[in-house]
Amino acid sequence: MQIMNVKRATIYVDANLHRALRVKAAQTDRTISDLVNEAVRLSLAEDAEDLAAAEERAREPNLAFESVLKDLKRRGKL
């Protein structure tokens, strides 16, 4: 673990998850803190990607459901 700008926090983890974290930490020669930090970082990165995709899609034109159904029916798809 690189000690740069870190904060100490108390978290409560399900006993089974804690056991799995301990085993993974031992097998990978990492600390539980490293594993938790990585998991949180990955989760936040995924959230950022989701927000970026939502912002991009917000610029797309809105289609009324009824219009889509009528178009499908007109083209013989329904």
Side-chain angles (χ1 to χ4, degrees), residues 21 30 32-45:
L21 280 168
R30 296 174 69 192
I32 290 175
S33 291
D34 285 340
L35 296 174
V36 170
N37 274 301
E38 180 182 23
V40 170
R41 197 172 284 111
L42 289 171
S43 178
L44 293 174

